[in-house]
């Protein structure tokens, strides 16, 4: 449980640092609009509930292998899913990559601070 709390703390600090980068702000905004458009499309065309549409849109963009048991049934929904996934997976990947790089850089900064403080002692 303690490792979960420490990891969550590191993730939140990395997110705060990432939001100071223009690239991350741009990726986050783009990802938000991709998820919003997918949610709106699937609620209108496929008739899914909002929570089902959000769940499908988020889980389908994360490379997790989770079975959502939701699949588009209309031809328009299937065509939209092809383009949605082609665009959305790339943006999601870059967003997660940026968060990961920020976490690594943050960890490197904190370990070098520790090493510097040990040399002073």
């Amino acid at each position: 449980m303690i490792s979960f709390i420490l990891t969550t703390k590191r993730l939140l600090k990395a997110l705060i640092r990432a939001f100071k980068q223009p690239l991350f702000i741009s990726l986050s905004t783009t990802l938000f609009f991709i998820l919003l458009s997918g949610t709106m499309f699937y609620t209108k065309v496929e008739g899914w509930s909002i929570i089902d549409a959000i769940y499908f849109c988020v889980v389908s963009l994360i490379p997790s292998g989770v079975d959502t048991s939701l699949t588009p049934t209309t031809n328009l929904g299937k065509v939209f899913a092809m383009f949605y996934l082609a665009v959305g997976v790339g943006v999601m990947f870059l967003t997660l990559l940026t968060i990961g790089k920020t976490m690594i850089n943050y960890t490197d900064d904190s370990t070098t601070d520790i090493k510097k403080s040990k040399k002073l002692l």
Side-chain angles (χ1 to χ4, degrees):
M1 183 66 172
I2 292 173
S3 66
F4 174 74
I5 293 169
L6 292 174
T7 302
T8 303
K9 181 181 172 184
R10 274 183 46 209
L11 176 63
L12 292 176
K13 285 183 179 181
L15 283 172
I16 290 168
R17 292 180 91 185
F19 269 108
K20 295 177 182 175
Q21 301 173 13
L23 174 67
F24 186 75
I25 293 171
S26 174
L27 286 170
S28 300
T29 304
T30 305
L31 183 62
F32 171 77
F33 284 116
I34 289 171
L35 291 172
L36 181 66
S37 66
T39 301
M40 290 172 44
F41 178 85
Y42 288 119
T43 55
K44 299 294 181 195
V45 174
E46 296 292 331
W48 296 348
S49 68
I50 291 175
I51 194 73
D52 282 343
I54 291 171
Y55 179 72
F56 177 79
C57 289
V58 171
V59 171
S60 63
L61 294 183
I62 298 174
S64 62
V66 174
D67 181 22
T68 61
S69 71
L70 295 168
T71 55
T73 54
T74 63
N75 287 335
L76 182 60
K78 291 175 184 177
V79 171
F80 179 81
M82 288 186 282
F83 289 106
Y84 172 79
L85 293 173
V87 172
V89 168
V91 174
M92 178 66 86
F93 178 74
L94 286 174
T95 305
L96 293 174
L97 183 68
T98 304
I99 293 171
K101 286 172 100 175
T102 305
M103 282 184 76
I104 290 170
N105 290 340
Y106 174 74
T107 304
D108 287 346
D109 293 345
S110 63
T111 56
T112 54
D113 290 343
I114 292 169
K115 289 177 184 175
K116 287 179 185 176
S117 64
K118 284 184 180 181
K119 286 182 181 179
L120 293 175
L121 296 175

